């Protein structure tokens, strides 16, 4: 059963995000004959005539349970629907725990995973990828903060920033801080909090100036609480771009068809509409690629 706080949070964001199970505003696409024809003739779908996609309902706006507590909605389900439409198939969405998607995909339980999976060199050894979003972290501040923009290390010099320990955000900000010190600027003061609630309390109470965590999460919180704002984004692979991709079985031949479908959605403006519907336009890619360079092995 949803908690009272969960319900109030959902309703507070309801004027920005539609979390209803019926999703009347979903973006639909027409079949793309070129993408459909690119599916290998010998590819065996998990269910004939359907595009079976695994998604992990980790939270809005990417993927979450709707107000009926059983239908999965969000940007990733919307994108999966647009791809299924493009291939001329019916979408079959399968909610899974994040830890379970690799085995389920390898065993053929579903055809693809569309669940904010980042491209890494290690994952490319087992899976193929068709990119569809940038992996971004967000810089957010209090709504009345004098901080206007954070784009590069010098913009964060001397600021107090809350992060979780041993995260990608911490790794990048420590490098930024080192750059600032070498340039004669103040270091970034990192403050560590174990969970999102503690980080938000630290920001709202003025103990820190900036919160940094995955961009999509903060977009939803900003819409829900209306007391924080975005002042910048940061690639999860800084200084390189880090992309999120549709994940398919290695060598299945499906990735090229999905890349074609995505690029057609980009060309027709439907891709932009899907992202805009969930306030994720900042994460748009100029084009989809099959198996681009991924984050290096650690």
């Amino acid at each position: 059963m949803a908690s009272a706080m969960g319900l109030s949070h959902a309703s507070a964001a309801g004027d920005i995000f539609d979390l209803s199970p019926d999703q009347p505003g979903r973006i639909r696409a027409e079949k793309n004959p070129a993408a459909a024809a690119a599916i290998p003739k010998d590819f065996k779908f998990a269910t004939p005539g359907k595009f079976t996609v695994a998604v992990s309902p980790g939270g809005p706006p990417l993927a979450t349970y709707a107000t009926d507590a059983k239908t999965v909605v969000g940007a990733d389900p919307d994108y999966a629907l647009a791809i299924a439409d493009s291939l001329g198939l019916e979408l079959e969405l399968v909610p899974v725990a994040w830890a379970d998607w690799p085995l389920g995909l390898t065993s053929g339980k579903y055809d693809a995973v569309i669940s904010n999976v980042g491209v890494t060199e290690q994952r490319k050894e087992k899976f193929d990828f068709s990119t569809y979003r940038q992996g971004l972290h967000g810089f957010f501040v209090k709504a009345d903060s004098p901080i206007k923009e954070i784009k590069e290390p010098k913009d964060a010099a001397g600021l107090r920033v809350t992060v979780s320990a041993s995260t990608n955000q911490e790794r990048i900000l420590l490098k930024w801080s080192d750059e600032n010190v070498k340039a004669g600027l103040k270091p970034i003061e990192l403050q560590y909090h174990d969970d999102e609630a503690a980080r938000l309390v630290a920001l709202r109470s003025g103990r820190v100036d900036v919160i940094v965590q995955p961009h999509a999460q903060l977009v939803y919180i900003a819409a829900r609480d209306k007391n924080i704002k975005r002042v910048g984004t940061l690639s999860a692979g800084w200084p390189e771009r880090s992309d999120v991709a549709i994940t398919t079985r290695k060598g299945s031949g499906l990735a090229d068809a999905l890349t074609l479908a995505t690029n057609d959605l980009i060309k027709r403006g439907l891709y932009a509409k899907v992202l805009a519907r969930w306030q994720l336009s900042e994460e748009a890619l100029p084009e989809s690629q099959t198996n681009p360079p991924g984050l290096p092995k650690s």
Side-chain angles (χ1 to χ4, degrees):
M1 180 180 289
S3 68
M5 180 176 290
L7 288 172
S8 66
H9 278 173
S11 61
D15 55 342
I16 306 254
F17 297 114
D18 174 16
L19 299 181
S20 69
D22 47 345
Q23 292 291 297
R26 268 185 155 180
I27 310 302
R28 302 302 300 260
E30 295 175 2
K31 182 177 179 179
N32 175 355
I39 300 170
K41 296 291 182 282
D42 59 351
F43 182 82
K44 287 184 170 56
F45 284 96
T47 302
K50 294 187 177 183
F51 183 42
T52 304
V53 175
V55 62
S56 178
L62 294 180
T64 190
Y65 285 105
T67 51
D68 67 354
K70 61 182 181 182
T71 305
V72 182
V73 301
D76 280 344
D78 274 16
Y79 179 68
L81 180 63
I83 290 292
D85 284 348
S86 297
L87 299 177
L89 298 168
E90 181 185 343
L91 177 64
E92 180 78 26
L93 211 56
V94 181
V96 299
W98 172 262
D100 294 342
W101 71 255
L103 182 59
L105 182 58
T106 304
S107 66
K109 196 176 288 187
Y110 23 85
D111 308 311
V113 178
I114 299 181
S115 195
N116 202 42
V117 180
V119 182
T120 70
E121 288 303 309
Q122 187 163 3
R123 285 177 180 155
K124 279 167 64 180
E125 292 176 0
K126 293 184 177 180
F127 304 104
D128 285 332
F129 293 98
S130 304
T131 58
Y132 70 98
R133 262 198 358 259
Q134 289 186 64
L136 293 183
H137 300 308
F139 292 106
F140 280 64
V141 299
K142 286 203 296 184
D144 60 356
S145 171
I147 299 168
K148 300 297 182 192
E149 187 174 55
I150 299 176
K151 289 180 67 176
E152 53 187 323
K154 66 180 179 61
D155 298 333
L159 296 182
R160 299 166 299 166
V161 181
T162 173
V163 295
S164 287
S166 303
T167 57
N168 203 22
Q169 300 95 282
E170 181 202 25
R171 175 188 67 80
I172 295 168
L173 289 171
L174 286 172
K175 290 182 179 179
W176 275 34
S177 190
D178 287 344
E179 284 193 20
N180 285 336
V181 171
K182 287 174 185 173
L185 302 171
K186 290 182 179 178
I188 298 170
E189 182 187 322
L190 295 186
Q191 293 190 20
Y192 295 95
H193 300 92
D194 289 337
D195 58 60
E196 183 179 89
R199 289 192 289 278
L200 289 169
V201 168
L203 180 67
R204 289 164 184 152
S205 66
R207 293 199 301 274
V208 298
D209 306 301
V210 186
I211 183 172
V212 181
Q213 64 185 51
H215 173 254
Q217 297 171 358
L218 291 170
V219 164
Y220 180 78
I221 291 166
R224 182 189 72 194
D225 298 348
K226 300 178 173 59
N227 58 10
I228 65 172
K229 64 181 181 181
R230 178 179 56 221
V231 292
T233 57
L234 172 70
S235 170
W238 185 89
E240 305 300 328
R241 198 175 78 195
S242 173
D243 293 342
V244 168
I246 309 174
T247 311
T248 50
R249 288 187 291 284
K250 188 78 178 172
S252 69
L254 198 57
D256 285 338
L258 300 176
T259 300
L260 269 175
T262 298
N263 281 324
D264 184 62
L265 291 170
I266 292 172
K267 185 179 176 183
R268 289 194 280 150
L270 298 175
Y271 168 83
K273 288 181 179 179
V274 170
L275 292 183
R277 183 169 187 250
W278 298 95
Q279 293 199 7
L280 295 176
S281 299
E282 295 277 327
E283 302 191 1
L285 286 175
E287 67 171 355
S288 174
Q289 293 178 291
T290 299
N291 292 329
L295 291 179
K297 294 180 183 179
S298 55

